[in-house]
Structures are given as structure tokens and as C-alpha cells.
């Protein structure tokens, strides 16, 4: 079937050619994404991408975007093990990217979704994902406010659809030197640490049918899989 569906396509501005996106600008775009997840323990806040993911990810994105026609969207599937330990798990993130008259559109599907270990599955299995929804975000996920606007679809804000104005990409904040999100772990003086602890919040993290599957338990950051839609 055609993606996106007709009712969504009617609300989208015309697609235009991709601008020349340097690795630095792509890094700034991805580093600016901070998400919030509702859990039984409360709301947790984290960056979508780790600093160590960015060099390889933006390199491959730049290579593929340079070959895309203006009518094409880019599907990105990436997984990463942030802890590199025997007990840690891969986390998978999926997103859809394109450029239209409103700016650079980035729609997130799964965000740092923990995947169980499975040594039997082949590489292709972790690439089998549910389509990134252009109708709505997952109920427990949202992006925090940032240097972008949120897309409104059928009168409702899509909480994981960010639009970056093209004329503001060069002025995006630099990639922070750490993986913390905003006020997640501000350094405090020794004498203030006990008092500050009281205020700390818990911090975590064309319609195409697909079957969700778990990846193998490799212990290194997995290169992103890039697809053209």
C-alpha cells in the first residue's frame, strides 16, 4: 500500500530536494533530540542518541541522503549497546526523515527500545520493524521541547515528529560533551550533593507491514540500516 496513507498525505507540504547536510549539522540535529518516557516509576528523560553513535551514524546518513531524490524518505534503523557488558542489552531506535517546504522532518518510532538477547537470530531479523507511524506517537513516548516544532496531524500534536527549519540548522547547539539530557545529572559540589539529591528525578530513557524481531546479542554499536522509501 502507499505510504503514507492518503489522509496523512493531504496534510503534508510538498517535498523538496535535500540540502547539503554536513556530518556536523546531522550530528547537531540528532544530539538535540531528547525524549521522555512514561513508566510505572514516573517520567524519565534521556537523549535519543549517544555521542559514541553519532560519527558512524551521520557518516552513513550523509552518504545515502546525497543519493536520494527529493521525493524519497529515508528510514533509519539503528541499535546500540550503551554498557558493553554481559548483562546489558541492545537498544533499537527507528526513524523516518525527509525534507519538505516546512523544513527537515524527523519522525521517531521506537526510541531506545531494549531488545532481549538471542544468539540464534540473524542480522536481518533486527531490521524487521513496525512501520514508523505518521499518525501518532507511542502513548508512553514524547520528545521534549527543542529547536524544532511539532507536527500537527488531524488536529493533534504528534509527539515524536520534529520539524527543523532549514534556515536554522547551521545555528543548532553543538553536540554536548556527555550523554546526559538537560538537567539529568548536573554536577554538584560535595557539600551541596546531599541537599540536591532531594530534587533529582529518575532518568531513563509508504505503510509497510513488517514483523518485529529481536537482534543477536552482539556487544558493539551496530551500524545503522538505511532504507529508501
Amino acid at each position: 500500500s502507499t505510504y503514507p496513507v492518503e489522509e496523512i498525505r493531504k496534510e503534508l507540504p510538498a517535498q523538496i530536494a535535500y540540502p547539503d547536510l554536513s556530518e556536523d549539522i546531522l550530528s547537531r540535529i540528532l544530539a538535540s533530540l531528547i525524549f521522555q518516557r512514561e513508566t510505572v516509576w514516573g517520567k524519565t528523560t534521556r537523549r535519543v542518541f549517544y555521542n559514541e553513535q553519532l560519527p558512524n551514524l551521520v557518516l552513513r546518513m550523509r552518504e545515502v541522503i546525497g543519493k536520494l531524490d527529493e521525493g524519497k524518505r529515508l528510514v533509519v534503523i539503528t541499535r546500540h549497546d550503551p554498557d558493553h557488558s554481559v548483562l546489558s542489552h541492545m537498544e533499537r531506535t527507528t526513524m523516518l526523515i525527509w525534507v519538505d517546504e516546512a523544513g527537515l522532518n524527523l519522525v521517531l518510532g521506537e526510541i531506545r527500545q531494549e531488545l532481549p538477547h538471542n544468539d540464534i537470530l540473524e542480522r536481518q531479523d533486527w531490521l524487521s520493524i513496525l512501520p514508523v507511524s505518521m499518525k501518532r506517537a507511542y502513548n508512553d513516548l514524547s520528545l521534549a521541547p527543542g529547536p524544532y516544532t511539532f507536527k500537527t496531524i488531524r488536529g493533534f500534536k504528534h509527539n515524536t515528529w520534529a520539524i527543523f527549519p532549514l534556515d536554522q540548522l547551521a545555528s543548532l547547539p553543538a553536540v554536548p560533551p556527555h550523554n546526559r539530557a538537560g538537567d539529568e545529572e548536573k554536577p554538584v559540589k560535595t557539600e551541596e550533593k546531599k541537599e540536591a539529591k532531594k530534587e533529582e528525578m529518575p532518568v531513563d530513557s509508504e505503510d509497510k507491514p513488517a514483523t518485529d524481531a529481536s537482534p543477536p546479542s552482539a556487544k558493539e554499536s551496530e551500524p545503522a540500516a538505511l532504507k529508501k522509501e
Side-chain angles (χ1 to χ4, degrees), residues 93-128:
T93 297
T94 62
M95 60 182 173
L96 189 63
I97 299 174
W98 74 95
V99 178
D100 60 26
E101 294 172 349
L104 185 144
N105 292 254
L106 193 155
V107 188
L108 288 153
E110 294 181 348
I111 302 178
R112 287 175 58 170
Q113 181 63 47
E114 189 174 277
L115 299 168
H117 294 301
N118 192 326
D119 294 327
I120 299 176
L121 294 177
E122 300 295 333
R123 171 182 166 84
Q124 188 60 36
D125 291 300
W126 71 267
L127 299 179
S128 298

Side-chain angles (χ1 to χ4, degrees), residues 14 77 117 144 189 204-205 207 226 228:
I77 310 167
H117 294 301
K189 297 179 181 179
D204 265 4
S205 123
D207 268 324
L226 310 178
K228 303 173 185 178

Side-chain angles (χ1 to χ4, degrees), residues 79 81 85-92 114-127 212-220 222:
R79 68 175 185 171
D81 180 356
S85 72
V86 176
L87 299 178
S88 60
H89 293 260
M90 285 285 186
E91 296 175 348
R92 182 170 61 187
E114 189 174 277
L115 299 168
H117 294 301
N118 192 326
D119 294 327
I120 299 176
L121 294 177
E122 300 295 333
R123 171 182 166 84
Q124 188 60 36
D125 291 300
W126 71 267
L127 299 179
D212 196 11
S214 304
S217 56
K219 286 303 163 188
E220 66 278 352
E222 191 73 39

Side-chain angles (χ1 to χ4, degrees), residues 1-216:
S1 57
T2 303
Y3 184 82
V5 294
E6 180 64 25
E7 61 181 313
I8 299 295
R9 196 157 56 247
K10 290 179 179 178
E11 298 192 42
L12 302 181
Q15 286 183 242
I16 61 176
Y18 288 84
D20 181 19
L21 298 171
S22 67
E23 292 175 35
D24 178 61
I25 288 179
L26 287 171
S27 294
R28 290 170 183 244
I29 290 171
L30 299 184
S32 72
L33 299 172
I34 295 174
F35 76 100
Q36 298 173 328
R37 190 191 305 273
E38 296 286 350
T39 72
V40 294
W41 299 282
K43 181 181 293 185
T44 60
T45 303
R46 284 187 173 180
R47 281 177 53 188
V48 174
F49 296 100
Y50 298 89
N51 281 355
E52 55 267 29
Q53 286 181 275
L54 296 180
N56 182 61
L57 179 55
V58 300
L59 174 64
R60 299 196 61 185
M61 286 176 61
R62 178 171 165 77
E63 290 175 350
V64 177
I65 287 174
K67 301 174 183 177
L68 285 179
D69 297 328
E70 62 183 60
K72 296 291 185 179
R73 296 181 176 89
L74 179 66
V75 179
V76 179
I77 310 167
T78 185
R79 68 175 185 171
H80 178 67
D81 180 356
D83 299 316
H84 304 287
S85 72
V86 176
L87 299 178
S88 60
H89 293 260
M90 285 285 186
E91 296 175 348
R92 182 170 61 187
T93 297
T94 62
M95 60 182 173
L96 189 63
I97 299 174
W98 74 95
V99 178
D100 60 26
E101 294 172 349
L104 185 144
N105 292 254
L106 193 155
V107 188
L108 288 153
E110 294 181 348
I111 302 178
R112 287 175 58 170
Q113 181 63 47
E114 189 174 277
L115 299 168
H117 294 301
N118 192 326
D119 294 327
I120 299 176
L121 294 177
E122 300 295 333
R123 171 182 166 84
Q124 188 60 36
D125 291 300
W126 71 267
L127 299 179
S128 298
I129 62 168
L130 294 173
V132 176
S133 176
M134 297 175 71
K135 293 182 179 181
R136 65 184 69 84
Y138 287 105
N139 291 334
D140 62 337
L141 287 176
S142 63
L143 285 174
Y148 42 75
T149 59
F150 289 94
K151 178 68 176 179
T152 299
I153 289 290
R154 296 180 298 179
F156 295 95
K157 184 177 76 170
H158 191 305
N159 289 321
T160 56
W161 184 334
I163 303 176
F164 293 82
L166 296 181
D167 61 355
Q168 297 178 23
L169 293 181
S171 60
L172 288 174
V175 176
H178 50 68
N179 287 316
R180 296 191 299 270
D183 296 330
E184 179 180 334
E185 285 183 25
K186 281 186 177 179
V188 293
K189 297 179 181 179
T190 303
E191 61 271 21
E192 297 175 353
K193 195 167 185 178
K194 184 175 180 181
E195 184 65 26
K197 189 174 182 181
K198 298 178 182 179
E199 302 178 5
E200 290 177 359
M201 295 179 63
V203 180
D204 265 4
S205 123
E206 317 208 348
D207 268 324
K208 181 179 176 183
T211 303
D212 196 11
S214 304

